[in-house]
Amino acid sequence: MYLIGVDGGGTHSRLTLADEQGHILGRADCGGINFNAIGMSAARKNLFDAVDALLADNNATADDCAMLAIGSAALDTLADEALVREFCGDRFDPARCLMDSDVSVSLYAATGGKPGILLIAGTGSMGAAFDVEGRQHIAGGWGYLLGDSGSGFDIGRRALLAAAEAEDYGRETLLRPIFCEHFGTPTLREAIPIIYSEDFKPSDIAALSAGTDRAAQSGDELAIEVIETAAYSSAELCACLHKRSGAEHVAVYGGVFEHSERYNEAFRAALAALGCRHLAVELLATPPQIGALMMGAKELGILDDCFRENVLKK
């Protein structure tokens, strides 16, 4: 009997295969599975092609997999039967599929169900917390049209707006040459057809966050303002979850937290300004797909100390 845990992000997704004792048998990566951003067909193909390949590497098929536990950036709560059926379709038995938000599986990876807070700042952003009674609290996760404050998309969009305004008014900023190099255009205005093309996705805006961070590290004032504004938004989300849950341990996850030292510094400074200096913050140590595996094992009734010990081995 096999289980697969999935950390399904907006840009990248990670899969881990385990047996019923929690021994890790294989890992795989694929593109984003946020069907709200890229469509159901593309999200399904990204995931299930990777699932099929991972199982094939272990001489197995979907029939050998008792549980596919998915944490998806497209969700903010447990998916209902109709959505599971729509997403799994003819690629996997919906009765053996658990779909929840990416923040839920990350939260479980961080806390094992105990009190704690989890913040994600990747392509999008979201937060969740368990309180002392095991209740889950959700904040953020509104998507790029309604929110995603503090995310890579938020940083990229703010920086792109700042760079466009700087080009109009002749202001100096490193964001302009960095973004022109990114788009391969002499001026930012000449990137307009690229930005407004049909295949330009929210993740393409989020990709600009790396260049924004480079500009900030070089002292560019506009870039620094963008990074600090985004970090403050994440700190506000964290403070909100602390107030609602009472939890004081915070795990952070996602490309923005993982790759931007300046963002992390600004995030901690913002927490202090919001009266939350006492919160213990650390990068998520256990991969979210392992949290998904544990949630899947719990659903099957096989989540015991042996499974936990094996699945958490480095």
Side-chain angles (χ1 to χ4, degrees):
M1 179 172 68
Y2 298 122
L3 299 84
I4 296 177
V6 181
D7 171 29
T11 305
H12 304 290
S13 301
R14 298 176 177 86
L15 299 77
T16 299
L17 176 73
D19 64 17
E20 65 269 27
Q21 283 84 41
H23 298 110
I24 303 300
L25 304 176
R27 297 177 175 84
D29 297 319
C30 68
I33 65 168
N34 185 341
F35 47 80
N36 291 329
I38 66 173
M40 188 65 72
S41 178
R44 277 168 39 87
K45 179 173 175 55
N46 283 346
L47 177 62
F48 290 107
D49 284 357
V51 166
D52 290 345
L54 183 58
L55 288 168
D57 287 343
N58 287 270
N59 299 313
T61 68
D63 291 337
D64 300 309
C65 190
M67 179 59 63
L68 175 62
I70 304 167
S72 172
L75 300 172
D76 61 6
T77 189
L78 194 66
D80 59 25
E81 292 183 10
L83 180 56
V84 173
R85 193 178 307 111
E86 180 184 5
F87 188 76
C88 294
D90 58 353
R91 300 296 295 269
F92 205 90
D93 180 2
R96 294 182 285 118
C97 185
L98 172 70
M99 291 178 63
D100 208 330
S101 70
D102 57 343
V103 76
S104 290
V105 300
S106 300
L107 178 63
Y108 206 91
T111 69
K114 297 178 181 179
I117 299 169
L118 186 284
L119 290 179
I120 293 179
T123 300
S125 65
M126 191 173 181
F130 284 130
D131 62 24
V132 292
E133 296 180 2
R135 293 174 299 193
Q136 183 170 304
H137 304 266
I138 298 291
W142 294 98
Y144 71 97
L145 289 177
L146 299 177
D148 276 346
S149 297
S151 69
F153 174 84
D154 184 36
I155 293 170
R157 178 180 175 278
R158 288 178 185 274
L160 190 56
L161 290 174
E165 188 174 89
E167 184 156 314
D168 275 342
Y169 296 104
R171 296 170 186 161
E172 290 299 321
T173 174
L174 292 174
L175 293 173
R176 289 170 60 195
I178 286 175
F179 289 169
C180 286
E181 180 182 1
H182 178 88
F183 290 118
T185 57
T187 66
L188 196 56
R189 181 166 292 277
E190 290 174 84
I192 291 175
I194 299 173
I195 296 168
Y196 282 95
S197 65
E198 290 184 359
D199 58 350
F200 198 75
K201 305 177 294 297
S203 58
D204 295 318
I205 293 288
L208 300 175
S209 63
T212 306
D213 189 64
R214 290 201 309 274
Q217 294 291 8
S218 297
D220 186 270
E221 291 184 1
L222 279 179
I224 291 171
E225 182 180 354
V226 167
I227 295 291
E228 290 183 347
T229 299
Y232 194 89
S233 293
S234 282
E236 286 185 310
L237 194 66
C238 184
C240 167
L241 287 166
H242 166 60
K243 182 177 180 180
R244 289 165 59 184
S245 69
E248 297 190 346
H249 290 85
V250 182
V252 296
Y253 179 66
V256 178
F257 277 117
E258 292 171 15
H259 302 303
S260 177
E261 182 178 347
R262 180 173 287 274
Y263 183 95
N264 279 277
E265 291 173 353
F267 172 73
R268 285 168 169 78
L271 280 181
L274 291 165
C276 296
R277 186 189 300 273
H278 63 289
L279 298 185
V281 181
E282 61 183 4
L283 283 173
L284 180 64
T286 302
Q289 60 269 29
I290 299 301
L293 277 173
M294 289 192 287
M295 289 175 67
K298 183 179 179 181
E299 183 76 8
L300 292 172
I302 61 172
L303 182 59
D304 56 16
D305 290 342
C306 177
F307 189 98
R308 291 178 186 273
E309 181 181 348
N310 288 328
V311 82
L312 291 171
K313 286 180 179 176
K314 301 298 182 183

CSV table of all heavy atoms in Angstrom, one decimal, residues 213-258:
chain,number,residue,atom,x,y,z
A,213,ASP,N,14.3,41.9,-5.0
A,213,ASP,CA,15.1,41.7,-3.9
A,213,ASP,C,16.6,42.1,-4.2
A,213,ASP,O,17.2,42.7,-3.3
A,213,ASP,CB,15.0,40.2,-3.5
A,213,ASP,CG,15.7,40.0,-2.1
A,213,ASP,OD1,15.3,40.5,-1.1
A,213,ASP,OD2,16.7,39.2,-2.1
A,214,ARG,N,17.0,41.8,-5.4
A,214,ARG,CA,18.4,42.2,-5.7
A,214,ARG,C,18.6,43.7,-5.7
A,214,ARG,O,19.6,44.2,-5.2
A,214,ARG,CB,18.8,41.6,-7.1
A,214,ARG,CG,18.9,40.1,-7.2
A,214,ARG,CD,19.7,39.7,-8.4
A,214,ARG,NE,19.2,40.3,-9.7
A,214,ARG,CZ,18.3,39.8,-10.5
A,214,ARG,NH1,17.7,38.7,-10.1
A,214,ARG,NH2,17.9,40.4,-11.6
A,215,ALA,N,17.6,44.4,-6.2
A,215,ALA,CA,17.6,45.8,-6.2
A,215,ALA,C,17.6,46.4,-4.8
A,215,ALA,O,18.4,47.3,-4.5
A,215,ALA,CB,16.5,46.4,-7.0
A,216,ALA,N,16.8,45.8,-3.9
A,216,ALA,CA,16.8,46.2,-2.5
A,216,ALA,C,18.1,45.9,-1.8
A,216,ALA,O,18.6,46.8,-1.1
A,216,ALA,CB,15.7,45.5,-1.8
A,217,GLN,N,18.7,44.8,-2.1
A,217,GLN,CA,20.0,44.5,-1.5
A,217,GLN,C,21.1,45.5,-2.0
A,217,GLN,O,22.1,45.7,-1.2
A,217,GLN,CB,20.4,43.1,-1.9
A,217,GLN,CG,19.5,42.0,-1.3
A,217,GLN,CD,19.7,41.9,0.3
A,217,GLN,OE1,20.3,42.7,0.9
A,217,GLN,NE2,19.0,40.9,0.8
A,218,SER,N,20.9,46.1,-3.1
A,218,SER,CA,21.9,47.1,-3.6
A,218,SER,C,21.5,48.5,-3.2
A,218,SER,O,22.2,49.4,-3.6
A,218,SER,CB,21.9,47.0,-5.2
A,218,SER,OG,22.3,45.8,-5.6
A,219,GLY,N,20.5,48.6,-2.3
A,219,GLY,CA,20.2,49.9,-1.7
A,219,GLY,C,19.2,50.7,-2.5
A,219,GLY,O,19.0,51.9,-2.2
A,220,ASP,N,18.5,50.1,-3.5
A,220,ASP,CA,17.5,50.9,-4.2
A,220,ASP,C,16.3,51.2,-3.3
A,220,ASP,O,15.7,50.3,-2.8
A,220,ASP,CB,17.0,50.1,-5.4
A,220,ASP,CG,16.1,50.8,-6.3
A,220,ASP,OD1,14.9,50.8,-6.1
A,220,ASP,OD2,16.6,51.5,-7.3
A,221,GLU,N,16.0,52.5,-3.2
A,221,GLU,CA,15.0,52.9,-2.2
A,221,GLU,C,13.6,52.4,-2.6
A,221,GLU,O,12.8,52.0,-1.7
A,221,GLU,CB,15.0,54.5,-2.1
A,221,GLU,CG,16.2,55.0,-1.4
A,221,GLU,CD,16.2,56.5,-1.2
A,221,GLU,OE1,15.2,57.1,-1.6
A,221,GLU,OE2,17.2,57.1,-0.7
A,222,LEU,N,13.2,52.5,-3.9
A,222,LEU,CA,11.9,52.0,-4.3
A,222,LEU,C,11.8,50.5,-4.0
A,222,LEU,O,10.7,50.1,-3.5
A,222,LEU,CB,11.7,52.3,-5.8
A,222,LEU,CG,11.3,53.7,-6.2
A,222,LEU,CD1,11.1,53.7,-7.7
A,222,LEU,CD2,10.0,54.1,-5.5
A,223,ALA,N,12.8,49.7,-4.3
A,223,ALA,CA,12.7,48.3,-4.1
A,223,ALA,C,12.6,48.0,-2.6
A,223,ALA,O,11.9,47.1,-2.2
A,223,ALA,CB,14.0,47.6,-4.7
A,224,ILE,N,13.4,48.7,-1.8
A,224,ILE,CA,13.4,48.5,-0.3
A,224,ILE,C,11.9,48.8,0.2
A,224,ILE,O,11.4,48.1,1.0
A,224,ILE,CB,14.4,49.5,0.4
A,224,ILE,CG1,15.8,49.0,0.1
A,224,ILE,CG2,14.1,49.5,1.9
A,224,ILE,CD1,16.9,49.9,0.5
A,225,GLU,N,11.3,49.9,-0.3
A,225,GLU,CA,10.0,50.2,0.1
A,225,GLU,C,9.0,49.1,-0.2
A,225,GLU,O,8.1,48.8,0.6
A,225,GLU,CB,9.5,51.5,-0.5
A,225,GLU,CG,8.1,52.0,-0.1
A,225,GLU,CD,7.7,53.3,-0.7
A,225,GLU,OE1,8.5,53.9,-1.4
A,225,GLU,OE2,6.5,53.7,-0.5
A,226,VAL,N,9.1,48.5,-1.4
A,226,VAL,CA,8.3,47.4,-1.8
A,226,VAL,C,8.4,46.2,-0.9
A,226,VAL,O,7.4,45.6,-0.5
A,226,VAL,CB,8.5,47.1,-3.3
A,226,VAL,CG1,7.9,45.7,-3.7
A,226,VAL,CG2,8.1,48.1,-4.3
A,227,ILE,N,9.7,45.8,-0.7
A,227,ILE,CA,9.9,44.7,0.2
A,227,ILE,C,9.4,44.9,1.6
A,227,ILE,O,8.7,44.0,2.2
A,227,ILE,CB,11.4,44.4,0.2
A,227,ILE,CG1,12.0,43.9,-1.1
A,227,ILE,CG2,11.7,43.3,1.3
A,227,ILE,CD1,11.5,42.6,-1.6
A,228,GLU,N,9.6,46.1,2.2
A,228,GLU,CA,9.2,46.3,3.5
A,228,GLU,C,7.7,46.4,3.6
A,228,GLU,O,7.1,46.0,4.6
A,228,GLU,CB,9.8,47.6,4.0
A,228,GLU,CG,11.3,47.5,4.2
A,228,GLU,CD,12.0,48.8,4.8
A,228,GLU,OE1,11.3,49.8,4.8
A,228,GLU,OE2,13.1,48.7,5.3
A,229,THR,N,7.0,46.9,2.6
A,229,THR,CA,5.5,47.0,2.6
A,229,THR,C,5.0,45.6,2.6
A,229,THR,O,4.0,45.3,3.3
A,229,THR,CB,5.0,47.8,1.4
A,229,THR,OG1,5.5,49.1,1.5
A,229,THR,CG2,3.5,47.8,1.3
A,230,ALA,N,5.5,44.7,1.7
A,230,ALA,CA,5.0,43.4,1.6
A,230,ALA,C,5.3,42.6,2.9
A,230,ALA,O,4.4,41.9,3.4
A,230,ALA,CB,5.7,42.6,0.5
A,231,ALA,N,6.4,42.8,3.5
A,231,ALA,CA,6.8,42.1,4.8
A,231,ALA,C,5.8,42.6,5.9
A,231,ALA,O,5.4,41.7,6.7
A,231,ALA,CB,8.2,42.4,5.1
A,232,TYR,N,5.5,43.8,5.9
A,232,TYR,CA,4.6,44.3,6.9
A,232,TYR,C,3.2,43.7,6.8
A,232,TYR,O,2.5,43.3,7.8
A,232,TYR,CB,4.4,45.8,6.8
A,232,TYR,CG,3.8,46.5,8.0
A,232,TYR,CD1,4.5,46.9,9.1
A,232,TYR,CD2,2.4,46.6,8.1
A,232,TYR,CE1,4.0,47.5,10.2
A,232,TYR,CE2,1.8,47.2,9.2
A,232,TYR,CZ,2.6,47.6,10.3
A,232,TYR,OH,2.0,48.1,11.4
A,233,SER,N,2.8,43.4,5.5
A,233,SER,CA,1.5,42.8,5.3
A,233,SER,C,1.5,41.4,5.9
A,233,SER,O,0.5,40.9,6.5
A,233,SER,CB,1.2,42.7,3.8
A,233,SER,OG,1.0,44.0,3.3
A,234,SER,N,2.6,40.6,5.7
A,234,SER,CA,2.7,39.3,6.3
A,234,SER,C,2.7,39.3,7.8
A,234,SER,O,2.2,38.5,8.5
A,234,SER,CB,4.0,38.6,5.8
A,234,SER,OG,3.8,38.1,4.4
A,235,ALA,N,3.4,40.4,8.4
A,235,ALA,CA,3.4,40.5,9.8
A,235,ALA,C,2.0,40.8,10.4
A,235,ALA,O,1.6,40.3,11.4
A,235,ALA,CB,4.4,41.6,10.2
A,236,GLU,N,1.2,41.6,9.7
A,236,GLU,CA,-0.1,41.9,10.1
A,236,GLU,C,-1.0,40.6,10.0
A,236,GLU,O,-1.8,40.3,10.9
A,236,GLU,CB,-0.8,42.9,9.2
A,236,GLU,CG,-0.3,44.3,9.4
A,236,GLU,CD,-1.0,45.3,8.6
A,236,GLU,OE1,-1.1,45.1,7.3
A,236,GLU,OE2,-1.5,46.3,9.1
A,237,LEU,N,-0.8,39.7,9.0
A,237,LEU,CA,-1.5,38.5,8.9
A,237,LEU,C,-1.1,37.6,10.1
A,237,LEU,O,-2.0,36.9,10.7
A,237,LEU,CB,-1.1,37.8,7.6
A,237,LEU,CG,-2.0,36.6,7.2
A,237,LEU,CD1,-3.4,37.1,6.9
A,237,LEU,CD2,-1.4,35.9,6.0
A,238,CYS,N,0.2,37.6,10.5
A,238,CYS,CA,0.7,36.8,11.6
A,238,CYS,C,0.1,37.3,12.9
A,238,CYS,O,-0.4,36.5,13.7
A,238,CYS,CB,2.2,36.8,11.6
A,238,CYS,SG,2.9,35.8,12.9
A,239,ALA,N,0.0,38.6,13.1
A,239,ALA,CA,-0.5,39.2,14.3
A,239,ALA,C,-2.0,38.8,14.4
A,239,ALA,O,-2.5,38.6,15.5
A,239,ALA,CB,-0.3,40.7,14.3
A,240,CYS,N,-2.7,38.8,13.3
A,240,CYS,CA,-4.1,38.5,13.3
A,240,CYS,C,-4.3,37.0,13.8
A,240,CYS,O,-5.2,36.8,14.6
A,240,CYS,CB,-4.7,38.7,11.9
A,240,CYS,SG,-6.3,38.0,11.6
A,241,LEU,N,-3.5,36.1,13.2
A,241,LEU,CA,-3.7,34.7,13.6
A,241,LEU,C,-3.3,34.5,15.1
A,241,LEU,O,-3.8,33.6,15.7
A,241,LEU,CB,-2.8,33.9,12.7
A,241,LEU,CG,-3.4,33.7,11.3
A,241,LEU,CD1,-2.4,33.2,10.3
A,241,LEU,CD2,-4.6,32.8,11.3
A,242,HIS,N,-2.3,35.2,15.5
A,242,HIS,CA,-1.9,35.1,16.9
A,242,HIS,C,-3.0,35.5,17.8
A,242,HIS,O,-3.3,34.9,18.8
A,242,HIS,CB,-0.7,36.0,17.2
A,242,HIS,CG,-0.4,36.2,18.6
A,242,HIS,ND1,-0.1,35.2,19.5
A,242,HIS,CD2,-0.3,37.4,19.4
A,242,HIS,CE1,0.1,35.7,20.7
A,242,HIS,NE2,-0.1,37.0,20.7
A,243,LYS,N,-3.7,36.6,17.5
A,243,LYS,CA,-4.8,37.1,18.3
A,243,LYS,C,-5.9,36.1,18.3
A,243,LYS,O,-6.6,35.9,19.3
A,243,LYS,CB,-5.3,38.5,17.7
A,243,LYS,CG,-6.4,39.1,18.5
A,243,LYS,CD,-6.8,40.5,17.9
A,243,LYS,CE,-7.9,41.1,18.7
A,243,LYS,NZ,-8.3,42.4,18.2
A,244,ARG,N,-6.2,35.5,17.2
A,244,ARG,CA,-7.3,34.6,17.1
A,244,ARG,C,-7.1,33.2,17.7
A,244,ARG,O,-8.0,32.6,18.2
A,244,ARG,CB,-7.7,34.4,15.6
A,244,ARG,CG,-8.4,35.6,15.0
A,244,ARG,CD,-8.4,35.6,13.5
A,244,ARG,NE,-9.2,34.4,13.0
A,244,ARG,CZ,-9.3,34.1,11.7
A,244,ARG,NH1,-8.7,34.9,10.8
A,244,ARG,NH2,-10.0,33.0,11.4
A,245,SER,N,-5.8,32.8,17.7
A,245,SER,CA,-5.5,31.4,18.1
A,245,SER,C,-4.8,31.4,19.5
A,245,SER,O,-4.8,30.4,20.2
A,245,SER,CB,-4.6,30.7,17.1
A,245,SER,OG,-3.3,31.3,17.0
A,246,GLY,N,-4.1,32.4,19.8
A,246,GLY,CA,-3.2,32.4,21.0
A,246,GLY,C,-1.9,31.7,20.8
A,246,GLY,O,-1.1,31.7,21.7
A,247,ALA,N,-1.7,31.1,19.7
A,247,ALA,CA,-0.4,30.4,19.4
A,247,ALA,C,0.7,31.4,19.3
A,247,ALA,O,0.6,32.5,18.8
A,247,ALA,CB,-0.6,29.6,18.1
A,248,GLU,N,1.9,30.9,19.8
A,248,GLU,CA,3.1,31.8,19.8
A,248,GLU,C,4.3,31.3,19.0
A,248,GLU,O,5.3,32.0,18.9
A,248,GLU,CB,3.5,32.1,21.3
A,248,GLU,CG,2.4,32.8,22.1
A,248,GLU,CD,2.9,33.2,23.4
A,248,GLU,OE1,4.0,32.8,23.9
A,248,GLU,OE2,2.2,34.1,24.1
A,249,HIS,N,4.1,30.1,18.5
A,249,HIS,CA,5.2,29.6,17.6
A,249,HIS,C,4.8,29.7,16.2
A,249,HIS,O,3.7,29.3,15.8
A,249,HIS,CB,5.5,28.1,17.9
A,249,HIS,CG,6.1,27.9,19.3
A,249,HIS,ND1,5.4,27.8,20.4
A,249,HIS,CD2,7.4,27.8,19.6
A,249,HIS,CE1,6.2,27.6,21.5
A,249,HIS,NE2,7.5,27.6,21.0
A,250,VAL,N,5.7,30.3,15.4
A,250,VAL,CA,5.4,30.7,14.0
A,250,VAL,C,6.4,30.0,13.1
A,250,VAL,O,7.6,30.1,13.2
A,250,VAL,CB,5.5,32.2,13.8
A,250,VAL,CG1,5.1,32.5,12.3
A,250,VAL,CG2,4.6,32.9,14.8
A,251,ALA,N,5.9,29.2,12.1
A,251,ALA,CA,6.7,28.7,11.0
A,251,ALA,C,6.4,29.4,9.7
A,251,ALA,O,5.2,29.7,9.4
A,251,ALA,CB,6.4,27.2,10.9
A,252,VAL,N,7.4,29.8,9.0
A,252,VAL,CA,7.2,30.5,7.8
A,252,VAL,C,7.7,29.6,6.6
A,252,VAL,O,8.7,28.9,6.8
A,252,VAL,CB,7.9,31.9,7.8
A,252,VAL,CG1,7.3,32.8,8.8
A,252,VAL,CG2,9.4,31.7,8.0
A,253,TYR,N,7.1,29.8,5.5
A,253,TYR,CA,7.4,28.9,4.3
A,253,TYR,C,7.1,29.7,3.0
A,253,TYR,O,6.3,30.6,3.0
A,253,TYR,CB,6.5,27.7,4.4
A,253,TYR,CG,6.7,26.7,3.3
A,253,TYR,CD1,7.9,26.0,3.1
A,253,TYR,CD2,5.7,26.4,2.3
A,253,TYR,CE1,8.1,25.1,2.1
A,253,TYR,CE2,5.9,25.5,1.3
A,253,TYR,CZ,7.1,24.9,1.2
A,253,TYR,OH,7.3,24.0,0.1
A,254,GLY,N,7.8,29.2,2.0
A,254,GLY,CA,7.6,29.8,0.7
A,254,GLY,C,8.8,30.5,0.1
A,254,GLY,O,9.7,30.9,0.9
A,255,GLY,N,8.9,30.7,-1.2
A,255,GLY,CA,10.1,31.2,-1.8
A,255,GLY,C,10.5,32.6,-1.3
A,255,GLY,O,11.7,32.9,-1.2
A,256,VAL,N,9.6,33.4,-0.9
A,256,VAL,CA,9.9,34.8,-0.5
A,256,VAL,C,10.6,34.7,0.9
A,256,VAL,O,11.7,35.3,1.1
A,256,VAL,CB,8.7,35.7,-0.3
A,256,VAL,CG1,9.1,37.0,0.2
A,256,VAL,CG2,8.0,35.8,-1.7
A,257,PHE,N,10.1,33.9,1.8
A,257,PHE,CA,10.8,33.7,3.1
A,257,PHE,C,12.1,33.0,2.9
A,257,PHE,O,13.1,33.3,3.7
A,257,PHE,CB,9.9,32.9,4.1
A,257,PHE,CG,8.8,33.7,4.8
A,257,PHE,CD1,7.5,33.5,4.6
A,257,PHE,CD2,9.2,34.8,5.6
A,257,PHE,CE1,6.5,34.3,5.2
A,257,PHE,CE2,8.2,35.5,6.3
A,257,PHE,CZ,6.9,35.3,6.1
A,258,GLU,N,12.1,32.0,2.0
A,258,GLU,CA,13.3,31.2,1.9
A,258,GLU,C,14.5,31.9,1.2
A,258,GLU,O,15.7,31.6,1.5
A,258,GLU,CB,13.0,30.0,1.1
A,258,GLU,CG,12.1,29.0,1.8
A,258,GLU,CD,11.6,27.9,0.9
A,258,GLU,OE1,12.2,27.7,-0.2
A,258,GLU,OE2,10.6,27.2,1.3
